[in-house]
Amino acid sequence: GEILQMLEGSNSLSSTLRRYVPGETRKPEVLVVMCMDPRLKESFIFGDTRQHFDVLRVPGSALSEEIMESIELSVSEHGIKVIIITTHTECAMEKVAHSD
């Protein structure tokens, strides 16, 4: 309950501030597809790239049909020019994603 209350408070504050603070204007040209493993911190792996890269986190970096559609939309509708697909060692999710 405490976490939900914090999220609701942050969302309310964010919604209020939108009236006074201009929205995001950056338009990244690079999309990084990486595993959803929370131990992987893109800011450490790629440097502070939040202004230059968009990150799509998926289990095991597995490229399902839905993920491929998301990537295609990023290219056609959002101007993504470079796609980096990463994996990491000992990825349990990759094993699950590629198993029967």
Side-chain angles (χ1 to χ4, degrees):
E2 184 179 328
I3 293 173
L4 182 56
Q5 188 175 14
M6 180 196 66
L7 291 172
E8 288 173 342
S10 294
N11 184 262
S12 178
L13 178 61
S14 176
S15 297
T16 302
L17 288 175
R18 282 279 179 212
R19 288 182 248 160
Y20 306 105
V21 178
E24 186 67 52
T25 58
R26 72 181 177 95
K27 191 157 175 98
E29 295 182 343
V30 177
L31 174 67
V32 176
V33 180
M34 65 187 295
C35 183
M36 62 185 273
D37 188 324
R39 297 173 297 173
L40 304 173
K41 306 289 185 211
E42 66 267 9
S43 59
F44 294 144
I45 295 170
F46 300 107
D48 185 14
T49 61
R50 299 307 298 160
Q51 298 299 311
H52 305 288
F53 289 36
D54 265 348
V55 178
L56 176 61
R57 289 180 162 266
V58 297
S61 301
L63 301 180
S64 66
E65 187 174 328
E66 292 84 5
I67 298 303
M68 290 302 294
E69 288 176 7
S70 295
I71 293 171
E72 288 175 18
L73 278 171
S74 294
V75 171
S76 66
E77 301 297 322
H78 296 262
I80 293 295
K81 296 183 179 10
V82 176
I83 300 166
I84 300 171
I85 301 172
T86 66
T87 60
H88 66 100
T89 55
E90 299 178 20
C91 180
M93 290 305 298
E94 183 176 26
K95 291 173 187 159
V96 171
H98 295 291
S99 69
D100 294 332

